[in-house]
Amino acid sequence: MNRKITSFTIALSALMLSGLASCRKAPTNTSTSGLATIVCDASFENIMNQEIDVFEYTSKGKADIIPYYVSEKACIDSLLDLKTKTIVIPRDLTQKEKDYLESQKKHPRSNMIAVDAIALIVNNDNPIEILSISEIRDILTGKVTKWSELEPTKLGDIQVVFDDEGSSTVKYMRDSIMKGEPFAQNVYAQNSISEVFDQVQMRKGAIGIIGVSWISADMRTRDMSRDERIKSLQEQDTTVADFNPAVKVLKVRRDDQLRAYKPYQAYIYDGTYPLFRSMYMITTGVNGSLSHGFYSFVTGTIGQKIIQRTGILPARVQPRMVYLE
């Protein structure tokens, strides 16, 4: 099921829900039943879809979480405008934002739920294996425009591909890597993560920049039924994540280090993989509401293990990890 919802369908959903409410009694809202919305940074769509799937399944059809996947700014605006009670973004609220919500008689709760990594993907025919932070900066700012400037190769121009010009991934690279310099002319934004994959697979000179959960998965749960996957979440186990073989995942090194690393959980955990950011879940839902119930689920043991299985690092369930290289 594709849970991606555009701004058009947000408005359409609101009309449909208001119409339904006028025709029948609204469902009872408890911590495990009723109807609630969540507005999530689009780069975390893959993760949140899995959280919602398990939560709704365990509620036996009594809970309905409607997600909207938008930019970080749109998430914040939705919370401050009181259009939703729960958001997921790559930062915590500022004190000014918290104070504003308190002035509206809303009491926000915030938890870091994961540490996400930014992955660099290229075509499998690209001979490049490693990039340093300074080389990434030079590519993004246009100081390096051809692959041959990095390594002897017949590949031509470099095309940088992001999922969306307003995405938090773009913001992370601009704020953390580029030191205030503008993006080069060869940096492009697509409309979705799938389009980033398409471009990298079609163009030998393309490099895609995405969240690592889109390319990693627990190898042992791929062929499990939903019942088997949910049962396995109760077990104490080892994370064995692998990357999508359709693309090549580059190693990244800090400028002052000789060794480079891929964004495996072990290297996110010990900080040796340098491109990472925190992921926060924030809610103004009161105790006993579905919004708060879903918040408690994601920040609890099962919700954290779901995050663990997506290949990024959960904030509270530290897995026993296998080093694949």
Side-chain angles (χ1 to χ4, degrees):
M1 176 181 177
N2 184 359
R3 292 185 176 275
K4 187 164 185 178
I5 300 179
T6 65
S7 57
F8 172 78
T9 53
I10 290 175
L12 182 60
S13 297
L15 289 172
M16 291 175 64
L17 289 172
S18 62
L20 287 172
S22 65
C23 296
R24 60 178 174 82
K25 185 179 178 181
T28 302
N29 194 303
T30 71
S31 60
T32 57
S33 65
L35 182 68
T37 63
I38 180 170
V39 182
C40 178
D41 186 291
S43 61
F44 303 139
E45 178 183 347
N46 179 45
I47 300 166
M48 201 49 52
N49 279 349
Q50 295 184 53
E51 295 281 3
I52 293 170
D53 184 51
V54 174
F55 181 76
E56 290 182 343
Y57 182 76
T58 55
S59 75
K60 303 185 186 305
K62 296 179 181 179
D64 190 8
I65 306 293
I66 301 177
Y68 304 116
Y69 297 108
V70 295
S71 68
E72 175 187 329
K73 183 180 184 302
C75 293
I76 294 290
D77 290 345
S78 295
L79 188 69
L80 297 181
D81 292 341
L82 310 184
K83 293 178 180 177
T84 189
K85 296 178 181 177
T86 307
I87 63 173
V88 177
I89 56 175
R91 67 171 178 87
D92 200 356
L93 293 177
T94 65
Q95 190 58 51
K96 183 178 179 180
E97 290 163 345
K98 293 176 183 178
D99 290 344
Y100 175 78
L101 288 169
E102 292 288 349
S103 74
Q104 301 298 307
K105 309 300 182 185
K106 302 297 180 182
H107 307 294
R109 306 184 195 196
S110 175
N111 247 313
M112 186 177 80
I113 59 174
V115 179
D116 183 32
I118 305 298
L120 308 181
I121 59 173
V122 296
N123 188 282
N124 280 321
D125 290 333
N126 190 323
I128 297 291
E129 299 287 343
I130 297 171
L131 288 176
S132 68
I133 293 296
S134 60
E135 287 171 336
I136 297 169
R137 183 183 305 119
D138 288 346
I139 289 172
L140 294 174
T141 57
K143 293 182 177 66
V144 170
T145 60
K146 296 182 182 297
W147 288 109
S148 58
E149 296 176 61
L150 301 172
E151 185 171 310
T153 176
K154 293 182 180 179
L155 289 182
D157 294 338
I158 300 172
Q159 302 99 35
V160 183
V161 188
F162 285 96
D163 56 329
D164 184 270
E165 62 182 354
S167 77
S168 61
T169 307
V170 171
K171 183 176 183 295
Y172 173 87
M173 300 303 283
R174 183 180 61 240
D175 295 348
S176 301
I177 304 300
M178 298 173 63
K179 300 184 181 301
E181 295 188 59
F183 283 107
Q185 293 297 313
N186 63 332
V187 177
Y188 305 95
Q190 303 300 304
N191 295 313
S192 66
I193 295 291
S194 63
E195 290 186 27
V196 176
F197 273 95
D198 290 343
Q199 290 297 313
V200 170
Q201 290 178 277
M202 287 189 303
R203 299 174 181 269
K204 293 184 179 181
I207 177 170
I209 303 178
I210 59 175
V212 74
S213 69
W214 291 98
I215 56 167
S216 60
D218 190 323
M219 293 185 292
R220 296 154 309 160
T221 61
R222 288 175 180 171
D223 300 321
M224 286 184 179
S225 67
R226 181 188 282 173
D227 285 334
E228 290 171 330
R229 281 191 293 111
I230 291 173
K231 183 179 179 180
S232 73
L233 289 168
Q234 308 288 341
E235 302 169 355
Q236 177 67 28
D237 57 5
T238 302
T239 297
V240 185
D242 195 14
F243 295 130
N244 188 331
V247 294
K248 179 193 289 187
V249 181
L250 296 184
K251 294 181 179 181
V252 178
R253 68 173 179 85
R254 291 184 170 86
D255 292 331
D256 59 352
Q257 294 180 341
L258 294 176
R259 187 176 176 186
Y261 301 87
K262 288 188 178 183
Y264 289 118
Q265 282 179 324
Y267 301 137
I268 303 171
Y269 176 65
D270 64 17
T272 49
Y273 184 77
L275 304 178
F276 63 87
R277 58 184 177 170
S278 299
M279 179 176 170
Y280 285 84
M281 190 171 192
I282 303 159
T283 189
T284 57
V286 298
N287 289 346
S289 68
L290 182 58
S291 292
H292 185 264
F294 184 56
Y295 171 83
S296 299
F297 173 80
V298 175
T299 58
T301 300
I302 299 300
Q304 290 286 284
K305 291 196 75 172
I306 293 170
I307 289 173
Q308 172 187 329
R309 296 254 174 108
T310 67
I312 69 172
L313 188 70
R316 286 168 181 77
V317 178
Q318 302 302 344
R320 296 179 289 125
M321 290 168 285
V322 173
Y323 289 74
L324 297 182
E325 57 173 39

